[in-house]
Amino acid sequence: MSLKVCEIFYSLQGESSFTGLPCIFVRLSGCNLDCAGCDTRYAREKSTCLSI
């Protein structure tokens, strides 16, 4: 299986009962929904294929 990954980054969780805890986030690429409130439009095209 392979995934189109835009970025992997370390940050603090901002939601849920885990708020404030360190987390590693994996942002995937290729969303085709075109939501008006999207804050990561750059993730549509930018990607690297990673196999798992």
Side-chain angles (χ1 to χ4, degrees):
M1 175 182 197
S2 66
L3 296 171
K4 290 170 52 178
V5 176
C6 176
E7 59 187 334
I8 299 173
F9 60 96
Y10 177 82
S11 187
L12 297 178
Q13 178 63 275
E15 302 172 355
S16 81
S17 59
F18 298 106
T19 300
L21 294 177
C23 254
I24 295 175
F25 294 88
V26 178
R27 179 167 286 139
L28 301 177
S29 297
C31 179
N32 62 351
L33 296 179
D34 196 28
C35 299
C38 182
D39 64 349
T40 54
R41 292 190 184 274
Y42 63 90
R44 282 184 180 178
E45 304 297 326
K46 179 183 170 189
S47 69
T48 301
C49 283
L50 297 179
S51 295
I52 56 171

